[in-house]
Amino acid sequence: MKKALVLFSIGLAMTGLSCHASAQQQIRFGTDATFPPFEFKAADGSLQGFDIDLGNAICAQLRAKCIWVENGFDGLIPALQARKFDAIISSLSITDERKKAINFSDKLFNTPAYLVASKDSGLKPLAESLQGKRVGVQQGSVFEAYAKKHWQSQGVELVSYPAAEAVYADLVVGRLDATLDDATVVTTALLDKPQGKHFSLIEPQVKDDAIFGPGTGIGIAKQNSELLEQLNGAIKAIRKDGTYDRLAKKYFNFNVYGE
């Protein structure tokens, strides 16, 4: 009887090990689905976009299950630190300031920043040109950081919004004179639509390497070094096997990765 109990116990232990070994890894990605073509909601409510496709490809490479958790952009890093999800994929620029709070994966992509204003406004992305004007930016974004650093103290009225759609809506109806945004996002979300026909990207490109950094990456909690290593390995793999380029061609006709 004692031998039978021992064998039964061993069997249970082996079953437990087998179940544990076959359990699929889950990766919970936090995102703010308001940045087409990088992350947005389709008519059926599903999450779509280049970032979403990249995240799903990374999970497939790691044989993990992707779980997407929606969160306001300004609260993504605090939510990551509170362990509401494991990583952030949401057009999150790699900056020195953010590196103080979280780690970043290798670069995912890089697109330029531009001032957007009415075609006949005569405005330029310079503090002296924007003095007395109202410039809308998304809260917590690198665009807000740039405008605060270079323009706000020079007489430019900075208006921060929790979501990019609200910025575009106020720009269209004249409550704002301009916005600073990602060129690809604002082109897709506003300039290519009928309501955006009177607006354009204003040259020159807005640059500040200290603020905009080398591009966007996946945000990971400081203590999660194992996940960081896994994600970087998967990014390298999908770059090497052509998956990245295939996905990029769905959304862009230019090199979104940059060099």
Side-chain angles (χ1 to χ4, degrees), residues 107-121:
K107 181 176 71 172
L108 290 182
F109 58 83
N110 188 22
T111 59
Y114 273 88
L115 185 76
V116 176
S118 174
K119 293 176 181 178
D120 59 3
S121 68

Side-chain angles (χ1 to χ4, degrees), residues 51-107:
D51 265 334
I52 305 301
D53 286 355
L54 286 178
N56 288 331
I58 287 167
C59 284
Q61 181 67 37
L62 295 173
R63 298 182 180 179
K65 179 181 179 181
C66 266
I67 297 175
W68 292 94
V69 182
E70 293 185 64
N71 199 95
F73 188 84
D74 197 33
L76 281 170
I77 291 177
L80 174 67
Q81 293 172 323
R83 300 184 180 182
K84 292 184 178 178
F85 33 79
D86 305 305
I88 300 168
I89 298 186
S90 196
S91 303
L92 192 66
S93 296
I94 302 167
T95 69
D96 288 339
E97 187 63 29
R98 287 173 178 160
K99 283 180 179 178
K100 295 175 184 177
I102 62 173
N103 286 332
F104 278 95
S105 71
D106 294 338
K107 181 176 71 172

Side-chain angles (χ1 to χ4, degrees), residues 145-164:
Y146 181 94
K148 283 182 174 180
K149 176 182 175 181
H150 294 283
W151 297 342
Q152 192 171 41
S153 63
Q154 304 299 314
V156 181
E157 184 179 353
L158 188 63
V159 187
S160 297
Y161 293 75

Side-chain angles (χ1 to χ4, degrees), residues 221-235:
K222 289 283 189 181
Q223 67 272 20
N224 206 344
S225 57
E226 182 179 353
L227 180 60
L228 175 61
E229 185 177 345
Q230 289 179 325
L231 294 176
N232 279 337
I235 292 169

